[in-house]
Amino acid sequence: MTRGVPRKLGRYEVAEVIGTGAFATVYRARDDRLDADVAIKVLAENHSFDADLRERFISEGHLLRRVDSPHVVKVFDLGETEAGQPFLVLDLAGGGDLAARRRRLGGAAPRLDELLTVARQVAVALGALHAEQVVHRDVTPGNLLVRGTAAVPPSATLLAPGERLMLADLGLSKDLAATSGLTVGAGTAGFTPPEQGVGGWVDARADIWSASALLVWLALGETPATHDAWQEPVRRLGWPDPVIRELERSLSAQADQRHPTAAAWIEALEAANAPPPAPTGPAAAAGPVDAAPRRPRRRGLAALAAAAVLLAGLAGGWWLGRSTADDDPYGRTSVEQLSGGRARATTTAGSSSVAFTGPRSATVGQTATFTAALEGVETATWLAPDGKSFPSGTALELRPTSEGTATVRLLGQTADGDVLVAVLRVEVRAAS
Amino acid sequence: MSGREAASSRTWRAAVEAAAGDREDLGDLVDAVAQRAAAGDRTALVDLIWVVDEHHLARPAIRRLVVQDADAEEVEQDVLIAVAETIGSFRGDARFTTWLHAVARNKAIAHLRRRKETDPLDGDEGDAARISSMIATRSAVDDAIRGLPELYRDAVVLRDIGQRSYAEVAQELGLNLNTAKARVARGRALAAAELRGVR
């Protein structure tokens, strides 16, 4: 912002600046009509006409509107200043962020049960995002806001009774429904998993790595990346070995060795801290995290990950795509009909191309095979309809689990860094 | 438009209305008419412009970049014109909406660029400037407008030749304001296609 603090943003009266970053400024403001204080995040003036940054900013509003969780910041409005800057009207947390709360504790590490309270709230937030196919990619103490009720922040604990955490700032988030999981390096040092830092595939498990790094940081003031022998100091804090083992698992360099979902992650941590007695009768349903895997969600990453475990090898679950409009965001795939009901989807840029062949239609329960052909592209990655990715070195075999339209994508990167995406829509019919 | 064409157009529009809740079904209907329009079918182009405008098919792509309602409406009009002018480049191997959203994104970006470079124009002047910028000669325009379906012709004549305000166009034709605006927008898009030799 170059114009200082505006008096008003839309119908909201601005009170003060509460945060600034390279791309946006956040203000505390007053919603007179609804008698409420709000936070307003305004895209910086010099970025407001940059199509990509502007689109990303506005999409944060769209994504937040889709997500429904008490632990994710809510969006109330999307507006624009007279200078053309888009702004988001958001929940005002009021209690600062988790980084500030940790600093108040100084050298005294929070107790493990308190950290697990934090972890549960983060898991609920991530579960809600992941169910909408959104990966946050920047889970850090600074992006966890405290919805404060205490007049004075507590000095001996992270949260006061009645306070709750809200995950904010989806500025780096990735909507896997609209785009691929292919990412360029982004995130906050120390809190980004290996696959995210260098540019690679991200999915829900990237956030699970970050959430685990967050717990280590809250305990030690350092992340696992800067303190690779974090296990010993947390053991001295009295953390049981099973908890440390679960954290090690969720901090695996390989995403497929981590817990598959946020719900599985928190359940494993809680079980490791207090091994439950042998189950008698129906287990008490605890907290909303459990809802994700139990409720059959057509598009939930949680449900999909579970389904994938049941299928061997490269087979993944298929489910109905929501949108047909964004199948090929690059609009560059050409589809050629082949004999035998098969087709070839090709995307070309210069002398490079990404192509694959596969059936135009498939039957529930029967395996469909897709074969890649690359030119001028060294490696490519399959993106199956369930959002899972596989290397292109082998054929992709999929077994549809429901009727509808499924979209298979093959993504490759040229030496120039151009991403080529070939897309094929497949009609899935019921088994007769 | 022949009687038979008019009847098939009516049937198609009725099918679109029936399918409006089902994106997949609507998509298939739109794809079919877009392919005929791309092949040069004039009636299909009229139907395509109608469905893009009436069902705001370009809106999701526009809204990824454009916040203000008035701006979104302006970009939507630009998209209608672009669809009419460039439908020949739609090859039919992707969904029409995929192609449309790429067009809409470009128009939204062009709008942002204009907005960055200039002070906000008075809406009405910007509007008139847009049609005159695509005008070749007066007589060509007159021909193009005379060739419009009647529904759109009267609205475009009043607005662009008679220089009336939208409110006056609405009053004259006994329409509400939004319908008058929509008819002008669709008529202009079709006239633009005619002027560019898209048939």
PDB file of all heavy atoms in Angstrom, chain B residues 121-132 159:
ATOM      1  N   LEU B 121     -13.724   4.823 -17.090  1.00  0.00           N
ATOM      2  CA  LEU B 121     -14.518   5.534 -18.086  1.00  0.00           C
ATOM      3  C   LEU B 121     -15.945   5.629 -17.608  1.00  0.00           C
ATOM      4  O   LEU B 121     -16.420   4.786 -16.875  1.00  0.00           O
ATOM      5  CB  LEU B 121     -14.518   4.745 -19.394  1.00  0.00           C
ATOM      6  CG  LEU B 121     -13.258   4.758 -20.232  1.00  0.00           C
ATOM      7  CD1 LEU B 121     -13.387   3.724 -21.324  1.00  0.00           C
ATOM      8  CD2 LEU B 121     -13.063   6.136 -20.855  1.00  0.00           C
ATOM      9  N   ASP B 122     -16.596   6.629 -18.087  1.00  0.00           N
ATOM     10  CA  ASP B 122     -18.039   6.641 -17.906  1.00  0.00           C
ATOM     11  C   ASP B 122     -18.581   5.416 -18.643  1.00  0.00           C
ATOM     12  O   ASP B 122     -18.250   5.183 -19.784  1.00  0.00           O
ATOM     13  CB  ASP B 122     -18.615   7.927 -18.507  1.00  0.00           C
ATOM     14  CG  ASP B 122     -20.124   7.890 -18.525  1.00  0.00           C
ATOM     15  OD1 ASP B 122     -20.708   8.191 -17.479  1.00  0.00           O
ATOM     16  OD2 ASP B 122     -20.694   7.540 -19.574  1.00  0.00           O
ATOM     17  N   GLY B 123     -19.409   4.644 -17.975  1.00  0.00           N
ATOM     18  CA  GLY B 123     -19.866   3.370 -18.519  1.00  0.00           C
ATOM     19  C   GLY B 123     -20.453   3.489 -19.913  1.00  0.00           C
ATOM     20  O   GLY B 123     -20.104   2.735 -20.808  1.00  0.00           O
ATOM     21  N   ASP B 124     -21.307   4.481 -20.100  1.00  0.00           N
ATOM     22  CA  ASP B 124     -21.999   4.596 -21.374  1.00  0.00           C
ATOM     23  C   ASP B 124     -21.061   4.948 -22.512  1.00  0.00           C
ATOM     24  O   ASP B 124     -21.191   4.429 -23.603  1.00  0.00           O
ATOM     25  CB  ASP B 124     -23.104   5.657 -21.259  1.00  0.00           C
ATOM     26  CG  ASP B 124     -24.468   5.002 -21.253  1.00  0.00           C
ATOM     27  OD1 ASP B 124     -24.517   3.812 -20.863  1.00  0.00           O
ATOM     28  OD2 ASP B 124     -25.450   5.656 -21.628  1.00  0.00           O
ATOM     29  N   GLU B 125     -20.093   5.800 -22.215  1.00  0.00           N
ATOM     30  CA  GLU B 125     -19.171   6.192 -23.290  1.00  0.00           C
ATOM     31  C   GLU B 125     -18.281   5.033 -23.692  1.00  0.00           C
ATOM     32  O   GLU B 125     -18.037   4.800 -24.867  1.00  0.00           O
ATOM     33  CB  GLU B 125     -18.303   7.370 -22.850  1.00  0.00           C
ATOM     34  CG  GLU B 125     -18.989   8.710 -23.030  1.00  0.00           C
ATOM     35  CD  GLU B 125     -18.099   9.834 -22.555  1.00  0.00           C
ATOM     36  OE1 GLU B 125     -16.875   9.688 -22.672  1.00  0.00           O
ATOM     37  OE2 GLU B 125     -18.634  10.836 -22.063  1.00  0.00           O
ATOM     38  N   GLY B 126     -17.814   4.300 -22.698  1.00  0.00           N
ATOM     39  CA  GLY B 126     -16.949   3.167 -22.985  1.00  0.00           C
ATOM     40  C   GLY B 126     -17.657   2.170 -23.875  1.00  0.00           C
ATOM     41  O   GLY B 126     -17.094   1.615 -24.808  1.00  0.00           O
ATOM     42  N   ASP B 127     -18.916   2.025 -23.570  1.00  0.00           N
ATOM     43  CA  ASP B 127     -19.802   1.163 -24.295  1.00  0.00           C
ATOM     44  C   ASP B 127     -19.921   1.533 -25.771  1.00  0.00           C
ATOM     45  O   ASP B 127     -19.730   0.717 -26.655  1.00  0.00           O
ATOM     46  CB  ASP B 127     -21.157   1.394 -23.612  1.00  0.00           C
ATOM     47  CG  ASP B 127     -21.998   0.187 -23.619  1.00  0.00           C
ATOM     48  OD1 ASP B 127     -21.424  -0.905 -23.597  1.00  0.00           O
ATOM     49  OD2 ASP B 127     -23.214   0.368 -23.638  1.00  0.00           O
ATOM     50  N   ALA B 128     -20.209   2.812 -26.011  1.00  0.00           N
ATOM     51  CA  ALA B 128     -20.372   3.278 -27.382  1.00  0.00           C
ATOM     52  C   ALA B 128     -19.044   3.209 -28.127  1.00  0.00           C
ATOM     53  O   ALA B 128     -19.000   2.874 -29.305  1.00  0.00           O
ATOM     54  CB  ALA B 128     -20.910   4.709 -27.392  1.00  0.00           C
ATOM     55  N   ALA B 129     -17.961   3.502 -27.398  1.00  0.00           N
ATOM     56  CA  ALA B 129     -16.650   3.464 -28.024  1.00  0.00           C
ATOM     57  C   ALA B 129     -16.352   2.052 -28.525  1.00  0.00           C
ATOM     58  O   ALA B 129     -15.714   1.857 -29.542  1.00  0.00           O
ATOM     59  CB  ALA B 129     -15.582   3.903 -27.029  1.00  0.00           C
ATOM     60  N   ARG B 130     -16.834   1.074 -27.764  1.00  0.00           N
ATOM     61  CA  ARG B 130     -16.506  -0.290 -28.132  1.00  0.00           C
ATOM     62  C   ARG B 130     -17.118  -0.685 -29.470  1.00  0.00           C
ATOM     63  O   ARG B 130     -16.476  -1.288 -30.293  1.00  0.00           O
ATOM     64  CB  ARG B 130     -16.933  -1.262 -27.042  1.00  0.00           C
ATOM     65  CG  ARG B 130     -15.930  -2.334 -26.915  1.00  0.00           C
ATOM     66  CD  ARG B 130     -16.052  -3.253 -25.736  1.00  0.00           C
ATOM     67  NE  ARG B 130     -17.307  -3.342 -25.105  1.00  0.00           N
ATOM     68  CZ  ARG B 130     -17.577  -2.826 -23.917  1.00  0.00           C
ATOM     69  NH1 ARG B 130     -16.662  -2.151 -23.278  1.00  0.00           N
ATOM     70  NH2 ARG B 130     -18.742  -2.991 -23.387  1.00  0.00           N
ATOM     71  N   ILE B 131     -18.388  -0.311 -29.665  1.00  0.00           N
ATOM     72  CA  ILE B 131     -18.967  -0.736 -30.944  1.00  0.00           C
ATOM     73  C   ILE B 131     -18.390   0.072 -32.091  1.00  0.00           C
ATOM     74  O   ILE B 131     -18.083  -0.468 -33.140  1.00  0.00           O
ATOM     75  CB  ILE B 131     -20.507  -0.735 -30.952  1.00  0.00           C
ATOM     76  CG1 ILE B 131     -21.000  -1.405 -32.244  1.00  0.00           C
ATOM     77  CG2 ILE B 131     -21.089   0.655 -30.817  1.00  0.00           C
ATOM     78  CD1 ILE B 131     -22.204  -2.259 -32.073  1.00  0.00           C
ATOM     79  N   SER B 132     -18.120   1.365 -31.860  1.00  0.00           N
ATOM     80  CA  SER B 132     -17.606   2.142 -32.995  1.00  0.00           C
ATOM     81  C   SER B 132     -16.193   1.689 -33.365  1.00  0.00           C
ATOM     82  O   SER B 132     -15.801   1.769 -34.504  1.00  0.00           O
ATOM     83  CB  SER B 132     -17.648   3.642 -32.702  1.00  0.00           C
ATOM     84  OG  SER B 132     -16.882   3.922 -31.559  1.00  0.00           O
ATOM     85  N   ARG B 159     -30.124   1.733 -29.734  1.00  0.00           N
ATOM     86  CA  ARG B 159     -28.977   2.060 -28.876  1.00  0.00           C
ATOM     87  C   ARG B 159     -27.805   2.624 -29.680  1.00  0.00           C
ATOM     88  O   ARG B 159     -27.248   3.655 -29.331  1.00  0.00           O
ATOM     89  CB  ARG B 159     -28.541   0.791 -28.130  1.00  0.00           C
ATOM     90  CG  ARG B 159     -27.294   0.950 -27.285  1.00  0.00           C
ATOM     91  CD  ARG B 159     -27.601   1.558 -25.935  1.00  0.00           C
ATOM     92  NE  ARG B 159     -26.345   1.889 -25.245  1.00  0.00           N
ATOM     93  CZ  ARG B 159     -25.926   3.120 -25.022  1.00  0.00           C
ATOM     94  NH1 ARG B 159     -26.641   4.151 -25.420  1.00  0.00           N
ATOM     95  NH2 ARG B 159     -24.785   3.343 -24.398  1.00  0.00           N
TER      96      ARG B 159
END
